[in-house]
Amino acid sequence: MPTREAMRSLGEDIISSFELRINGIGGIKETVTTDLEETRNFLKQLQNSKESMAKELHADLDQHTADLKEAVASEMKGFEDSRTDMAEKLQDELSKHKAHLQHSVGALLKGFGVELGEVRTTLDGGQDEWRKLLSTMHSKRSGATVAKPPKAAKTTEFTAETTPDFAGLFKAGGKRHSSKKVKAGKGKSH
């Protein structure tokens, strides 16, 4: 009977396909297990490599940081040494020129004091003459006898040590004294 043969053939085909599927699934399982094991090994190697590289990078970074700190400290010491040397040289130059400057300023002040004394003498002489003129004119106008003019103040010789502070010599507006101005032709007449 053809149905029996067909059923047997169908049964054999089902059994053989079942065995083929079971064998195929077993092969797939082995392949998946092998791939899984290889992937795990690869990931483990990758992790080990990453940890090893991280350690190397940390060590390199630590070394570079230490080298950088040492280089900066060396540069700073060089700058400090250079600054100290320059300060010492400038101090030496200043001390060498200090005596010369003191002598120059002292001589300048002494010369100024001498010139100031000469100017005072000249002004005192002019002031004496002016007093004589005023006294004479006053006596002529009033008919009185001529009085002797007062003596001029004694002038002082200035040295570098005795030179006064000239900062207050001139008052506001550049005037030396507050004295009355007499214009020519505007004086009193008696």
Side-chain angles (χ1 to χ4, degrees):
M1 291 207 200
T3 310
R4 180 183 240 184
E5 285 298 322
M7 286 306 263
R8 187 180 326 140
S9 175
L10 181 64
E12 287 174 4
D13 287 342
I14 289 174
I15 289 173
S16 94
S17 76
F18 176 77
E19 288 173 359
L20 284 174
R21 280 183 304 194
I22 292 294
N23 290 338
I25 289 175
I28 290 173
K29 274 182 162 181
E30 286 178 28
T31 304
V32 168
T33 303
T34 304
D35 289 347
L36 185 61
E37 189 64 32
E38 287 176 1
T39 303
R40 283 183 182 152
N41 288 337
F42 175 73
L43 290 175
K44 189 173 183 178
Q45 287 175 350
L46 193 63
Q47 179 67 24
N48 291 340
S49 174
K50 183 185 124 198
E51 288 173 0
S52 172
M53 187 182 298
K55 286 178 184 176
E56 288 177 23
L57 288 174
H58 280 292
D60 287 348
L61 181 62
D62 291 342
Q63 182 62 42
H64 182 70
T65 302
D67 291 345
L68 203 57
K69 284 180 181 178
E70 185 178 322
V72 168
S74 174
E75 281 292 318
M76 292 303 289
K77 184 174 179 353
F79 288 146
E80 182 65 24
D81 291 346
S82 175
R83 187 183 68 80
T84 302
D85 290 345
M86 187 184 308
E88 288 172 358
K89 286 177 184 175
L90 290 173
Q91 192 69 25
D92 289 343
E93 286 182 33
L94 180 63
S95 65
K96 287 176 186 174
H97 294 296
K98 186 177 180 181
H100 174 69
L101 288 173
Q102 284 177 335
H103 175 71
S104 296
V105 170
L108 183 67
L109 287 174
K110 184 177 181 181
F112 184 69
V114 168
E115 287 182 23
L116 182 63
E118 290 172 2
V119 167
R120 282 188 177 160
T121 302
T122 302
L123 289 177
D124 285 343
Q127 192 175 22
D128 289 343
E129 291 302 317
W130 185 254
R131 283 188 190 131
K132 286 180 194 175
L133 173 70
L134 285 178
S135 177
T136 303
M137 292 305 294
H138 181 67
S139 65
K140 286 189 178 202
R141 288 187 187 131
S142 65
T145 59
V146 177
K148 290 186 178 180
K151 288 188 175 182
K154 182 180 176 184
T155 59
T156 305
E157 180 73 23
F158 289 104
T159 64
E161 292 80 27
T162 63
T163 302
D165 179 16
F166 295 105
L169 188 63
F170 293 99
K171 306 262 186 224
K175 296 178 185 172
R176 254 179 92 137
H177 312 235
S178 57
S179 61
K180 295 180 183 177
K181 292 184 179 178
V182 178
K183 294 186 179 178
K186 301 282 182 172
K188 286 186 188 177
S189 60
H190 291 277

